[in-house]
Amino acid sequence: MKLDIAQAKEQFGKLLEEQLKRVEAMNANKEDLDFASLRPIIIGIAGGDGIGPAITAQGKRVMEALLADWVAEGKVEFRDIDGLTIENRVAANQAIPDDVLDQLKQCHVILKGPTTTPRKGDPWPNIESANVKMRKELDLFANVRPVRVPEQGIDWTFFRENTEGAYTLGSKGFSVGDDLNIDFTVVTQEGTERIIRAAFEYARKNGKTRVTAVTKANIIKTTDGKFLEVFYEIAKEYPNIKADDWYIDIMTAKLIDENRRKEFQVMVLPNLYGDIITDEAAEFQGGVGTAGSSNIGHKYAMFEAIHGSAPRMVAEGRAQYADPCSIMRAVVLLLSHIGAQEAANKLEKALDICTLTERKVVTTGRPDGATNAQLTDYIIETIQQL
Ligand code: NAD
């Protein structure tokens, strides 16, 4: 958007007003759902696009096996949400059609398959990403990604702020005349408090002894500076957890320092740094099957694989050979989130056996390997023997 200076001032005023409204909405909704007393916990299964329906169906099978008692007792209910497809989104010309959004909002947690985001050259119009829309609509402020490489002593959990920073106004920057171009970074008190508290609470509940903030507060003083200030304020409430901070440049380097990197445990970062460093970290773990991801808010939470919809696999008729392990790792996170910790531990153990140590059934993405249903049979049998 190209503006003159008077228009730019007016536009900036509008952005500030919008952001203050967002702050009001955040302040009005700070309560976490209490899964221990919630009946039933509604788990939505949204297959998404491409290989999504094939792999989420396997995730559902595993949950049905692990949560059979909870289903029988009326503690859990599964709901299939079929409409989160690129065809429906294009037909409605919406990032998520209204009726599908309503269905998603009737669930407490969602297992989501990857969704296709149109890019140049695709046969689809340029609609907004369903993921970005879901994050905003369900206020999923924490993107949590565990990275574990036991043989290298790596056991990290990243808490990436998901709704602010450099991304919240990513498409709302403007140019003033021909020479000046401005983007905006936003950090709010509540937006920062909630992600930092989530990181410390996770550390406390999981016996972690260190939480590290990653910023560039020495240069980006107002927003990163605020993030760091809030970090150390909240750290005072957790005297048994060591709190420290690193700058993003040196942290990026230290993650490849074999001696240093073992020391990190829980890391909390503003949106942009989190985006970059979680991809770097996932590389150590190796491969798209090895990690799941969760997007957590006070009211809703969404769990997904870290890979995309693999349209070529579907075009070549290979969806049934797609590796379901990333979505299975997401199921581990979902189970833990709703308080089914024993089920989460069992699935994690079975996945380690089936995909890292024993590996009796292996997918290759092609007909020379197992189908995702066959690998899932093996995972369920392994769970039953634990
Ligand atoms: P992609 O992850 O879909 O594919 C990258 C490569 O990995 C391909 O060769 C693919 O065949 C392979 N692959 C991915 N998942 C696999 C699996 N489970 N088993 C075996 N092989 C697998 O990435 P892309 O091609 O960049 O993106 C395709 C579409 O997915 C795009 O529209 C993109 O926007 C979308 N996407 C969605 C999400 C999400 O919903 N969270 C994330 C990333 C990409």
Side-chain angles (χ1 to χ4, degrees):
M1 196 181 343
K2 194 157 142 185
L3 307 173
D4 65 28
I5 189 144
Q7 291 166 324
K9 285 180 181 172
E10 194 188 333
Q11 181 62 17
F12 185 52
K14 280 189 197 149
L15 293 180
L16 294 181
E17 277 162 25
E18 259 175 48
Q19 289 304 306
L20 287 172
K21 277 202 189 120
R22 195 172 62 80
V23 170
E24 260 175 49
M26 272 193 286
N27 284 332
N29 174 24
K30 296 189 188 186
E31 287 291 304
D32 277 327
L33 272 190
D34 175 15
F35 285 103
S37 58
L38 193 65
R39 292 288 178 281
I41 300 167
I42 301 173
I43 302 178
I45 319 281
D49 296 308
I51 59 170
I55 57 171
T56 45
Q58 303 307 322
K60 184 180 175 194
R61 278 183 63 206
V62 165
M63 283 194 284
E64 283 171 337
L66 281 162
L67 296 178
D69 290 350
W70 282 30
V71 172
E73 290 162 23
K75 270 171 127 177
V76 155
E77 186 187 314
F78 294 107
R79 244 179 235 177
D80 289 316
I81 299 170
D82 297 325
L84 192 68
T85 61
I86 184 72
E87 292 79 7
N88 281 352
R89 303 204 305 276
V90 167
N93 195 22
Q94 285 180 305
I96 302 178
D98 290 336
D99 59 326
V100 179
L101 192 57
D102 282 348
Q103 291 176 44
L104 292 168
K105 286 185 174 175
Q106 282 160 26
C107 302
H108 301 109
V109 291
I110 297 153
L111 184 69
K112 176 190 155 293
T115 40
T116 296
T117 302
R119 55 187 139 193
K120 241 186 172 167
D122 280 355
W124 314 109
N126 190 16
I127 47 174
E128 192 194 0
S129 145
N131 283 326
V132 171
K133 175 81 174 169
M134 202 180 288
R135 247 175 248 158
K136 279 188 200 157
E137 283 288 334
L138 307 183
D139 201 13
L140 304 173
F141 59 83
N143 179 226
V144 187
R145 273 208 205 178
V147 171
R148 257 187 340 119
V149 190
E151 63 278 15
Q152 292 178 28
I154 293 176
D155 186 357
W156 300 324
T157 308
F158 294 91
F159 280 74
R160 165 187 169 192
E161 204 293 318
N162 225 1
T163 52
E164 310 202 323
Y167 289 27
T168 186
L169 296 178
S171 57
K172 300 213 173 156
F174 45 76
S175 303
V176 184
D178 288 328
D179 297 326
L180 180 61
N181 307 283
I182 300 229
D183 274 315
F184 303 99
T185 293
V186 180
V187 160
T188 65
Q189 177 76 30
E190 176 56 20
T192 308
E193 270 187 38
R194 62 189 191 173
I195 183 78
I196 288 172
R197 206 176 291 285
F200 275 101
E201 275 301 304
Y202 170 86
R204 186 179 64 77
K205 287 184 193 151
N206 290 278
K208 307 284 180 192
T209 54
R210 180 178 180 187
V211 179
T212 304
V214 184
T215 69
K216 191 71 187 169
N218 52 336
I219 305 290
I220 318 282
K221 290 185 191 290
T222 305
T223 47
D224 280 10
K226 182 72 181 176
F227 195 93
L228 204 51
E229 182 191 312
V230 173
F231 173 77
Y232 281 115
E233 264 315 299
I234 290 180
K236 288 183 196 154
E237 296 170 27
Y238 300 85
N240 298 327
I241 297 174
K242 179 181 171 201
D244 66 341
D245 77 278
W246 289 64
Y247 295 131
I248 179 66
D249 42 358
I250 192 68
M251 172 56 87
T252 311
K254 285 298 156 198
L255 286 194
I256 53 173
D257 175 337
E258 284 179 18
N259 293 320
R260 243 11 223 284
R261 68 185 179 196
K262 292 181 199 158
E263 296 165 9
F264 297 114
Q265 297 181 16
V266 178
M267 280 162 270
V268 59
L269 317 88
N271 208 337
L272 174 61
Y273 311 138
D275 192 4
I276 295 167
I277 228 162
T278 50
D279 273 11
E280 184 197 2
E283 275 298 301
F284 295 113
Q285 198 168 236
V288 288
T290 53
S293 157
S294 52
N295 292 273
I296 294 174
H298 288 308
K299 198 167 171 200
Y300 300 101
M302 181 269 275
F303 301 81
E304 62 179 343
I306 63 165
H307 55 74
S309 54
R312 185 142 27 104
M313 290 192 87
V314 179
E316 292 173 4
R318 292 188 284 123
Q320 72 272 35
Y321 298 106
D323 186 348
C325 289
S326 183
I327 202 95
M328 295 292 176
R329 297 278 174 188
V331 171
V332 172
L333 301 173
L334 185 156
L335 293 168
S336 173
H337 185 74
I338 63 171
Q341 196 55 48
E342 203 186 316
N345 293 344
K346 275 190 181 169
L347 179 55
E348 184 160 47
K349 207 166 174 191
L351 286 172
D352 286 351
I353 293 171
C354 296
T355 65
L356 300 176
T357 52
E358 200 177 75
R359 302 184 80 232
K360 278 195 204 155
V361 178
V362 179
T363 58
T364 60
R366 299 189 172 272
D368 61 354
T371 63
N372 40 52
Q374 287 166 335
L375 179 56
T376 307
D377 291 342
Y378 172 39
I379 293 167
I380 293 175
E381 280 159 25
T382 306
I383 290 170
Q384 282 160 354
Q385 286 160 19
L386 287 176

